[in-house]
Amino acid sequence: AGTGKFFVGGNWKCNGTKDSITKLVSDLNSATLEPDVDVIVAPPFVYIDQVKNSITPRIEIASQNSWTGKGGAFTGEISVEQLKDIGCKWVILGHSERRHVIGEDDQFIGKKAAYALSEGLGVIACIGELLQEREAGKTFDVCFQQLKAYADAVPSWDNIVIAYEPVWAIGTGKVATPQQAQEVHVACRDWLKKNVSAEVASKTRIIYGGSVNGGNCAELAKQEDIDGFLVGGASLKGPEFATIVNSVI
Ligand code: G3P
């Protein structure tokens, strides 16, 4: 960790029930969390209100997606205004599951990012390569192309955290080595320096996601350019998520 305040997000994905979420929130409320860390959880939309009304204000809420513009006749979508209305401060965009399972493309994601930022939400902007892209030596190309789509769409990087999540590491138990993650984070920072500005490169937090757990977080957190984590499976367990938050160094 080396840039800005350590940032740890828990992406609960499409998991949980009213009961399991009540228990998770109560575990998080009683956990000891290092003060100098931004801690965020992203519940499924339908439980955001429940979580917001029961979780410690120490933990901020993100949504797992948002619509590209103002609400209206968009069946099944949730607007940024609605998310703000129920207390969200952040939105996760460009997650690999949205890209590769649902089929969202760079341009659509860029549009959502620009709109969310214009309305004052922070954006957790995900990028990451597929296994075959890594094996073909295209990791940097893919990440740079995804970064460029954000850069082309957004007017400012002030409220963006980049989440590097190699797709082959998500939900697989196959975490990137600290060196593999660090290598991509440095390359992305360098890309920001060349293509956005030196200031943005030095200030933007780049967090890692993909099979982070209580056992591997400390080694990853030691890397200079890993500024936090986006956690899936392990964020569903309060004490383990707290361990990851507290891996800040
Ligand atoms: O957004 C977090 C994520 O995709 C990583 O999931 O379950 O591998 O920690 P997981």
Side-chain angles (χ1 to χ4, degrees):
T3 305
K5 201 169 172 187
F6 205 64
F7 184 107
V8 179
N11 176 6
W12 296 354
K13 306 193 179 182
C14 187
N15 291 294
T17 60
K18 279 202 263 187
D19 284 353
S20 73
I21 285 174
T22 299
K23 160 90 169 77
L24 178 51
V25 167
S26 129
D27 287 349
L28 290 171
N29 286 348
S30 57
T32 304
L33 302 174
E34 285 290 330
D36 204 23
V37 182
D38 284 330
V39 186
I40 277 89
V41 294
F45 286 124
V46 289
Y47 299 116
I48 289 177
D49 203 41
Q50 177 190 338
V51 173
K52 176 68 189 165
N53 290 326
S54 55
I55 204 161
T56 163
R58 164 78 184 85
I59 299 179
E60 292 189 325
I61 312 291
S63 77
Q64 299 176 19
N65 194 13
S66 62
W67 180 234
T68 55
K70 274 204 189 324
F74 304 106
T75 302
E77 289 297 333
I78 312 280
S79 74
V80 169
E81 290 78 3
Q82 290 167 331
L83 295 170
K84 283 167 41 181
D85 188 38
I86 55 168
C88 283
K89 293 275 191 286
W90 295 87
V91 57
I92 298 172
L93 292 172
H95 192 278
S96 90
E97 286 139 23
R98 302 288 328 163
R99 292 177 186 271
H100 301 295
V101 183
I102 320 289
E104 293 191 8
D105 64 19
D106 276 341
Q107 214 195 348
F108 189 55
I109 296 162
K111 205 170 165 193
K112 291 182 179 192
Y115 190 72
L117 290 170
S118 77
E119 286 296 312
L121 285 189
V123 170
I124 302 168
C126 304
I127 60 170
E129 82 288 358
L130 296 162
L131 181 60
Q132 61 265 36
E133 291 166 337
R134 172 162 285 263
E135 285 172 344
K138 292 187 181 150
T139 298
F140 291 168
D141 291 347
V142 170
C143 291
F144 296 167
Q145 185 196 316
Q146 293 171 349
L147 281 178
K148 182 173 186 310
Y150 290 115
D152 287 348
V154 304
S156 152
W157 285 74
D158 286 350
N159 224 357
I160 300 182
V161 171
I162 296 170
Y164 169 57
E165 301 205 311
V167 181
W168 48 270
I170 295 177
T172 57
K174 211 175 144 197
V175 65
T177 64
Q179 293 69 29
Q180 282 174 323
Q182 168 67 15
E183 185 187 33
V184 178
H185 286 219
V186 171
C188 290
R189 206 176 290 291
D190 211 46
W191 187 92
L192 288 174
K193 192 170 173 189
K194 290 195 186 111
N195 296 278
V196 183
S197 74
E199 199 199 353
V200 166
S202 68
K203 280 193 183 157
T204 303
R205 289 171 290 182
I206 306 178
I207 64 176
Y208 168 80
S211 297
V212 174
N213 62 35
N216 60 30
C217 55
E219 281 304 307
L220 287 158
K222 280 187 198 154
Q223 298 298 312
E224 180 69 16
D225 289 277
I226 298 183
D227 307 315
F229 299 113
L230 190 55
V231 187
S235 72
L236 299 170
K237 297 170 220 152
E240 185 166 5
F241 186 64
T243 301
I244 297 168
V245 168
N246 296 339
S247 69
V248 60
I249 50 155

